[in-house]
Amino acid sequence: MARQSVSPQITANILEFVRTNQMRAGEHLPCQMLADAFRVSRAPVNAALKKLEMMGIVRAEPNRGYFLAVDAANVEAAKPAGEPQREEEDPLYFRIAEDRLAGKLEERVSENELMRLYDVARSRLLKTLHRIAEEGWIERLPGNGWAFRETLTSRQSYEEGYVFRAVIEQQAMLLPTFRPNEDEFRKARAVQTALVEGGYETWSRAEIFKANNNFHEMLVACSQNDFFLDAIKRINRLRRLIEYHITIDRSRLPRQTSEHLHILDLVEAGRRTEAAAFLYTHIMGASRIKTPQV
């Protein structure tokens, strides 16, 4: 098992240090001073400072080191860079997902039916149903009824969905209207870096799906074409349940995440045609690995 990097925690420590000391933009953040304060070597501190630079919180000056780019009041509460707000694995959520995918739940269900089936209180059930509704695979009906929305349920439809994604995402990147969004690229890089530096071992299935979903939708959004973006959002909603059903082989996630970072590198280097070709290969490669598990 890969050793989890300590730099995400050091990043959080630096943010907390800045906020606690009410530092102002322009103040120096000496690497050795921070290393001494956190009782670590300079290497993880340098890695954390580079990550904060990508987030726009600090700036690097040649031969001088790192300086705060924003006031402490504008620094978010400390947490490892890119790490999502923790979501506990909800057994009820995944039981509903598995039962729906297996055809054990009808398209329309009532709260009373679900309460009896899963032996839970209404408040507990509603909390889970509201989460599912926010993700887009169920919607509330008048009264206390709910209706599941269309999803991919077969191996063939899942595979076809990947082909669709590969073509749409590649072409979206090749559109003349494609413009990289610097802020979104920086955020995506922070999330993917946190994932590859240990998040792939500890984040929940839902958090990993969300992180990778957001990455691909962010790229398509850069095309500035709402039709392409709507198409990708729809296919991502349709495949959510079957993605949860597939057993996550977490050992493959570092490679997948490294490929995401490589795509960002290619686009930022102005090699968009190469990035689009690599994106297509990346998506189809994921399909070849995951489709046999459906």
Side-chain angles (χ1 to χ4, degrees), residues 152 156-170 232 235 280 283-284 287 291:
L152 303 181
Q156 180 178 348
S157 63
Y158 183 72
E159 188 172 12
E160 290 171 351
Y162 261 95
V163 174
F164 178 82
R165 286 182 57 214
V167 172
I168 290 295
E169 292 190 34
Q170 180 189 40
I232 288 301
I235 196 65
Y280 180 91
I283 295 172
M284 293 307 298
S287 174
T291 299

PDB file of all heavy atoms in Angstrom, residues 152 156-170 232 235 280 283-284 287 291:
ATOM      1  N   LEU A 152     -28.528   3.981 -16.030  1.00  0.00           N
ATOM      2  CA  LEU A 152     -27.951   2.866 -16.774  1.00  0.00           C
ATOM      3  C   LEU A 152     -27.993   1.629 -15.882  1.00  0.00           C
ATOM      4  O   LEU A 152     -27.608   1.685 -14.716  1.00  0.00           O
ATOM      5  CB  LEU A 152     -26.501   3.168 -17.151  1.00  0.00           C
ATOM      6  CG  LEU A 152     -26.250   4.437 -17.978  1.00  0.00           C
ATOM      7  CD1 LEU A 152     -24.760   4.568 -18.297  1.00  0.00           C
ATOM      8  CD2 LEU A 152     -27.055   4.436 -19.263  1.00  0.00           C
ATOM      9  N   GLN A 156     -24.224  -3.382 -21.409  1.00  0.00           N
ATOM     10  CA  GLN A 156     -24.175  -2.761 -22.732  1.00  0.00           C
ATOM     11  C   GLN A 156     -24.399  -1.255 -22.647  1.00  0.00           C
ATOM     12  O   GLN A 156     -23.669  -0.471 -23.257  1.00  0.00           O
ATOM     13  CB  GLN A 156     -25.223  -3.386 -23.658  1.00  0.00           C
ATOM     14  CG  GLN A 156     -25.200  -2.770 -25.059  1.00  0.00           C
ATOM     15  CD  GLN A 156     -26.218  -3.414 -25.999  1.00  0.00           C
ATOM     16  OE1 GLN A 156     -26.775  -4.454 -25.688  1.00  0.00           O
ATOM     17  NE2 GLN A 156     -26.463  -2.775 -27.129  1.00  0.00           N
ATOM     18  N   SER A 157     -25.405  -0.840 -21.880  1.00  0.00           N
ATOM     19  CA  SER A 157     -25.685   0.593 -21.784  1.00  0.00           C
ATOM     20  C   SER A 157     -24.543   1.327 -21.083  1.00  0.00           C
ATOM     21  O   SER A 157     -24.220   2.471 -21.425  1.00  0.00           O
ATOM     22  CB  SER A 157     -27.003   0.831 -21.043  1.00  0.00           C
ATOM     23  OG  SER A 157     -26.928   0.369 -19.696  1.00  0.00           O
ATOM     24  N   TYR A 158     -23.922   0.669 -20.109  1.00  0.00           N
ATOM     25  CA  TYR A 158     -22.786   1.266 -19.404  1.00  0.00           C
ATOM     26  C   TYR A 158     -21.614   1.474 -20.357  1.00  0.00           C
ATOM     27  O   TYR A 158     -20.993   2.538 -20.389  1.00  0.00           O
ATOM     28  CB  TYR A 158     -22.388   0.350 -18.251  1.00  0.00           C
ATOM     29  CG  TYR A 158     -21.269   0.859 -17.381  1.00  0.00           C
ATOM     30  CD1 TYR A 158     -21.460   1.913 -16.499  1.00  0.00           C
ATOM     31  CD2 TYR A 158     -20.012   0.252 -17.424  1.00  0.00           C
ATOM     32  CE1 TYR A 158     -20.433   2.357 -15.679  1.00  0.00           C
ATOM     33  CE2 TYR A 158     -18.979   0.692 -16.608  1.00  0.00           C
ATOM     34  CZ  TYR A 158     -19.199   1.750 -15.740  1.00  0.00           C
ATOM     35  OH  TYR A 158     -18.169   2.190 -14.934  1.00  0.00           O
ATOM     36  N   GLU A 159     -21.332   0.456 -21.173  1.00  0.00           N
ATOM     37  CA  GLU A 159     -20.241   0.551 -22.140  1.00  0.00           C
ATOM     38  C   GLU A 159     -20.531   1.621 -23.187  1.00  0.00           C
ATOM     39  O   GLU A 159     -19.651   2.407 -23.559  1.00  0.00           O
ATOM     40  CB  GLU A 159     -20.019  -0.808 -22.812  1.00  0.00           C
ATOM     41  CG  GLU A 159     -18.794  -0.866 -23.693  1.00  0.00           C
ATOM     42  CD  GLU A 159     -18.512  -2.284 -24.170  1.00  0.00           C
ATOM     43  OE1 GLU A 159     -19.381  -3.156 -24.015  1.00  0.00           O
ATOM     44  OE2 GLU A 159     -17.406  -2.509 -24.700  1.00  0.00           O
ATOM     45  N   GLU A 160     -21.779   1.663 -23.648  1.00  0.00           N
ATOM     46  CA  GLU A 160     -22.160   2.689 -24.632  1.00  0.00           C
ATOM     47  C   GLU A 160     -22.028   4.087 -24.044  1.00  0.00           C
ATOM     48  O   GLU A 160     -21.663   5.040 -24.735  1.00  0.00           O
ATOM     49  CB  GLU A 160     -23.589   2.437 -25.105  1.00  0.00           C
ATOM     50  CG  GLU A 160     -23.724   1.201 -25.985  1.00  0.00           C
ATOM     51  CD  GLU A 160     -25.171   0.848 -26.270  1.00  0.00           C
ATOM     52  OE1 GLU A 160     -26.076   1.463 -25.632  1.00  0.00           O
ATOM     53  OE2 GLU A 160     -25.417  -0.037 -27.119  1.00  0.00           O
ATOM     54  N   GLY A 161     -22.318   4.208 -22.746  1.00  0.00           N
ATOM     55  CA  GLY A 161     -22.175   5.494 -22.078  1.00  0.00           C
ATOM     56  C   GLY A 161     -20.737   5.976 -22.079  1.00  0.00           C
ATOM     57  O   GLY A 161     -20.463   7.173 -22.250  1.00  0.00           O
ATOM     58  N   TYR A 162     -19.807   5.055 -21.900  1.00  0.00           N
ATOM     59  CA  TYR A 162     -18.390   5.427 -21.917  1.00  0.00           C
ATOM     60  C   TYR A 162     -17.951   5.875 -23.313  1.00  0.00           C
ATOM     61  O   TYR A 162     -17.187   6.839 -23.460  1.00  0.00           O
ATOM     62  CB  TYR A 162     -17.521   4.256 -21.440  1.00  0.00           C
ATOM     63  CG  TYR A 162     -17.115   4.396 -19.996  1.00  0.00           C
ATOM     64  CD1 TYR A 162     -17.847   3.779 -18.990  1.00  0.00           C
ATOM     65  CD2 TYR A 162     -16.016   5.167 -19.626  1.00  0.00           C
ATOM     66  CE1 TYR A 162     -17.490   3.911 -17.652  1.00  0.00           C
ATOM     67  CE2 TYR A 162     -15.649   5.305 -18.296  1.00  0.00           C
ATOM     68  CZ  TYR A 162     -16.393   4.675 -17.313  1.00  0.00           C
ATOM     69  OH  TYR A 162     -16.036   4.830 -15.993  1.00  0.00           O
ATOM     70  N   VAL A 163     -18.427   5.187 -24.343  1.00  0.00           N
ATOM     71  CA  VAL A 163     -18.102   5.599 -25.718  1.00  0.00           C
ATOM     72  C   VAL A 163     -18.643   7.000 -25.975  1.00  0.00           C
ATOM     73  O   VAL A 163     -17.946   7.857 -26.553  1.00  0.00           O
ATOM     74  CB  VAL A 163     -18.679   4.598 -26.733  1.00  0.00           C
ATOM     75  CG1 VAL A 163     -18.479   5.109 -28.156  1.00  0.00           C
ATOM     76  CG2 VAL A 163     -18.028   3.225 -26.565  1.00  0.00           C
ATOM     77  N   PHE A 164     -19.869   7.245 -25.537  1.00  0.00           N
ATOM     78  CA  PHE A 164     -20.488   8.561 -25.708  1.00  0.00           C
ATOM     79  C   PHE A 164     -19.648   9.635 -25.010  1.00  0.00           C
ATOM     80  O   PHE A 164     -19.350  10.688 -25.577  1.00  0.00           O
ATOM     81  CB  PHE A 164     -21.901   8.537 -25.139  1.00  0.00           C
ATOM     82  CG  PHE A 164     -22.621   9.850 -25.203  1.00  0.00           C
ATOM     83  CD1 PHE A 164     -23.259  10.255 -26.363  1.00  0.00           C
ATOM     84  CD2 PHE A 164     -22.668  10.697 -24.102  1.00  0.00           C
ATOM     85  CE1 PHE A 164     -23.934  11.471 -26.426  1.00  0.00           C
ATOM     86  CE2 PHE A 164     -23.329  11.904 -24.155  1.00  0.00           C
ATOM     87  CZ  PHE A 164     -23.967  12.294 -25.318  1.00  0.00           C
ATOM     88  N   ARG A 165     -19.257   9.354 -23.765  1.00  0.00           N
ATOM     89  CA  ARG A 165     -18.456  10.315 -23.002  1.00  0.00           C
ATOM     90  C   ARG A 165     -17.134  10.601 -23.702  1.00  0.00           C
ATOM     91  O   ARG A 165     -16.695  11.755 -23.802  1.00  0.00           O
ATOM     92  CB  ARG A 165     -18.173   9.785 -21.601  1.00  0.00           C
ATOM     93  CG  ARG A 165     -19.345   9.826 -20.643  1.00  0.00           C
ATOM     94  CD  ARG A 165     -18.897   9.324 -19.285  1.00  0.00           C
ATOM     95  NE  ARG A 165     -17.776  10.104 -18.774  1.00  0.00           N
ATOM     96  CZ  ARG A 165     -16.786   9.610 -18.040  1.00  0.00           C
ATOM     97  NH1 ARG A 165     -16.763   8.327 -17.722  1.00  0.00           N
ATOM     98  NH2 ARG A 165     -15.813  10.399 -17.615  1.00  0.00           N
ATOM     99  N   ALA A 166     -16.470   9.549 -24.170  1.00  0.00           N
ATOM    100  CA  ALA A 166     -15.160   9.721 -24.795  1.00  0.00           C
ATOM    101  C   ALA A 166     -15.245  10.641 -26.017  1.00  0.00           C
ATOM    102  O   ALA A 166     -14.419  11.544 -26.194  1.00  0.00           O
ATOM    103  CB  ALA A 166     -14.582   8.362 -25.188  1.00  0.00           C
ATOM    104  N   VAL A 167     -16.268  10.421 -26.830  1.00  0.00           N
ATOM    105  CA  VAL A 167     -16.427  11.224 -28.042  1.00  0.00           C
ATOM    106  C   VAL A 167     -16.797  12.661 -27.696  1.00  0.00           C
ATOM    107  O   VAL A 167     -16.194  13.624 -28.216  1.00  0.00           O
ATOM    108  CB  VAL A 167     -17.495  10.601 -28.967  1.00  0.00           C
ATOM    109  CG1 VAL A 167     -17.806  11.540 -30.131  1.00  0.00           C
ATOM    110  CG2 VAL A 167     -17.015   9.243 -29.477  1.00  0.00           C
ATOM    111  N   ILE A 168     -17.775  12.842 -26.820  1.00  0.00           N
ATOM    112  CA  ILE A 168     -18.247  14.185 -26.467  1.00  0.00           C
ATOM    113  C   ILE A 168     -17.153  14.999 -25.777  1.00  0.00           C
ATOM    114  O   ILE A 168     -16.912  16.168 -26.110  1.00  0.00           O
ATOM    115  CB  ILE A 168     -19.498  14.101 -25.567  1.00  0.00           C
ATOM    116  CG1 ILE A 168     -20.697  13.589 -26.356  1.00  0.00           C
ATOM    117  CG2 ILE A 168     -19.821  15.471 -24.966  1.00  0.00           C
ATOM    118  CD1 ILE A 168     -21.161  14.524 -27.466  1.00  0.00           C
ATOM    119  N   GLU A 169     -16.461  14.388 -24.826  1.00  0.00           N
ATOM    120  CA  GLU A 169     -15.452  15.140 -24.089  1.00  0.00           C
ATOM    121  C   GLU A 169     -14.263  15.507 -24.978  1.00  0.00           C
ATOM    122  O   GLU A 169     -13.706  16.607 -24.873  1.00  0.00           O
ATOM    123  CB  GLU A 169     -14.985  14.349 -22.864  1.00  0.00           C
ATOM    124  CG  GLU A 169     -16.072  14.217 -21.804  1.00  0.00           C
ATOM    125  CD  GLU A 169     -15.563  13.654 -20.484  1.00  0.00           C
ATOM    126  OE1 GLU A 169     -14.401  13.943 -20.127  1.00  0.00           O
ATOM    127  OE2 GLU A 169     -16.332  12.922 -19.823  1.00  0.00           O
ATOM    128  N   GLN A 170     -13.880  14.597 -25.871  1.00  0.00           N
ATOM    129  CA  GLN A 170     -12.788  14.903 -26.790  1.00  0.00           C
ATOM    130  C   GLN A 170     -13.162  16.063 -27.717  1.00  0.00           C
ATOM    131  O   GLN A 170     -12.399  17.023 -27.885  1.00  0.00           O
ATOM    132  CB  GLN A 170     -12.416  13.675 -27.616  1.00  0.00           C
ATOM    133  CG  GLN A 170     -11.275  13.944 -28.609  1.00  0.00           C
ATOM    134  CD  GLN A 170     -11.076  12.792 -29.569  1.00  0.00           C
ATOM    135  OE1 GLN A 170     -12.048  12.189 -30.046  1.00  0.00           O
ATOM    136  NE2 GLN A 170      -9.823  12.475 -29.877  1.00  0.00           N
ATOM    137  N   ILE A 232     -23.091  15.721 -20.952  1.00  0.00           N
ATOM    138  CA  ILE A 232     -22.188  15.032 -20.034  1.00  0.00           C
ATOM    139  C   ILE A 232     -22.802  14.924 -18.649  1.00  0.00           C
ATOM    140  O   ILE A 232     -22.694  13.880 -17.973  1.00  0.00           O
ATOM    141  CB  ILE A 232     -20.826  15.749 -19.978  1.00  0.00           C
ATOM    142  CG1 ILE A 232     -20.078  15.512 -21.279  1.00  0.00           C
ATOM    143  CG2 ILE A 232     -19.998  15.285 -18.795  1.00  0.00           C
ATOM    144  CD1 ILE A 232     -19.820  14.049 -21.607  1.00  0.00           C
ATOM    145  N   ILE A 235     -25.345  12.005 -18.734  1.00  0.00           N
ATOM    146  CA  ILE A 235     -24.779  10.663 -18.751  1.00  0.00           C
ATOM    147  C   ILE A 235     -24.120  10.342 -17.414  1.00  0.00           C
ATOM    148  O   ILE A 235     -24.142   9.199 -16.936  1.00  0.00           O
ATOM    149  CB  ILE A 235     -23.780  10.482 -19.918  1.00  0.00           C
ATOM    150  CG1 ILE A 235     -23.494   8.993 -20.165  1.00  0.00           C
ATOM    151  CG2 ILE A 235     -22.494  11.228 -19.687  1.00  0.00           C
ATOM    152  CD1 ILE A 235     -24.667   8.195 -20.634  1.00  0.00           C
ATOM    153  N   TYR A 280      -9.501  11.050 -24.650  1.00  0.00           N
ATOM    154  CA  TYR A 280     -10.274   9.963 -25.259  1.00  0.00           C
ATOM    155  C   TYR A 280      -9.714   8.598 -24.829  1.00  0.00           C
ATOM    156  O   TYR A 280     -10.462   7.701 -24.415  1.00  0.00           O
ATOM    157  CB  TYR A 280     -10.235  10.088 -26.788  1.00  0.00           C
ATOM    158  CG  TYR A 280     -10.998   9.001 -27.512  1.00  0.00           C
ATOM    159  CD1 TYR A 280     -12.338   9.169 -27.848  1.00  0.00           C
ATOM    160  CD2 TYR A 280     -10.382   7.793 -27.854  1.00  0.00           C
ATOM    161  CE1 TYR A 280     -13.053   8.167 -28.504  1.00  0.00           C
ATOM    162  CE2 TYR A 280     -11.077   6.792 -28.510  1.00  0.00           C
ATOM    163  CZ  TYR A 280     -12.409   6.981 -28.831  1.00  0.00           C
ATOM    164  OH  TYR A 280     -13.102   5.989 -29.477  1.00  0.00           O
ATOM    165  N   ILE A 283     -10.522   7.821 -21.090  1.00  0.00           N
ATOM    166  CA  ILE A 283     -11.898   7.401 -20.826  1.00  0.00           C
ATOM    167  C   ILE A 283     -12.135   5.974 -21.320  1.00  0.00           C
ATOM    168  O   ILE A 283     -12.736   5.146 -20.619  1.00  0.00           O
ATOM    169  CB  ILE A 283     -12.898   8.377 -21.470  1.00  0.00           C
ATOM    170  CG1 ILE A 283     -12.784   9.762 -20.811  1.00  0.00           C
ATOM    171  CG2 ILE A 283     -14.335   7.857 -21.344  1.00  0.00           C
ATOM    172  CD1 ILE A 283     -13.582  10.843 -21.498  1.00  0.00           C
ATOM    173  N   MET A 284     -11.663   5.668 -22.514  1.00  0.00           N
ATOM    174  CA  MET A 284     -11.867   4.320 -23.053  1.00  0.00           C
ATOM    175  C   MET A 284     -11.075   3.281 -22.259  1.00  0.00           C
ATOM    176  O   MET A 284     -11.503   2.135 -22.107  1.00  0.00           O
ATOM    177  CB  MET A 284     -11.471   4.276 -24.529  1.00  0.00           C
ATOM    178  CG  MET A 284     -12.391   5.116 -25.430  1.00  0.00           C
ATOM    179  SD  MET A 284     -14.148   4.698 -25.227  1.00  0.00           S
ATOM    180  CE  MET A 284     -14.158   2.987 -25.749  1.00  0.00           C
ATOM    181  N   SER A 287     -13.122   2.434 -19.317  1.00  0.00           N
ATOM    182  CA  SER A 287     -14.229   1.565 -19.721  1.00  0.00           C
ATOM    183  C   SER A 287     -13.779   0.117 -19.814  1.00  0.00           C
ATOM    184  O   SER A 287     -14.471  -0.797 -19.357  1.00  0.00           O
ATOM    185  CB  SER A 287     -14.769   2.025 -21.082  1.00  0.00           C
ATOM    186  OG  SER A 287     -15.754   1.131 -21.564  1.00  0.00           O
ATOM    187  N   THR A 291     -15.986  -2.049 -17.261  1.00  0.00           N
ATOM    188  CA  THR A 291     -17.156  -2.695 -17.874  1.00  0.00           C
ATOM    189  C   THR A 291     -17.268  -4.181 -17.526  1.00  0.00           C
ATOM    190  O   THR A 291     -18.387  -4.655 -17.247  1.00  0.00           O
ATOM    191  CB  THR A 291     -17.158  -2.491 -19.394  1.00  0.00           C
ATOM    192  OG1 THR A 291     -17.225  -1.088 -19.685  1.00  0.00           O
ATOM    193  CG2 THR A 291     -18.347  -3.193 -20.029  1.00  0.00           C
TER     194      THR A 291
END
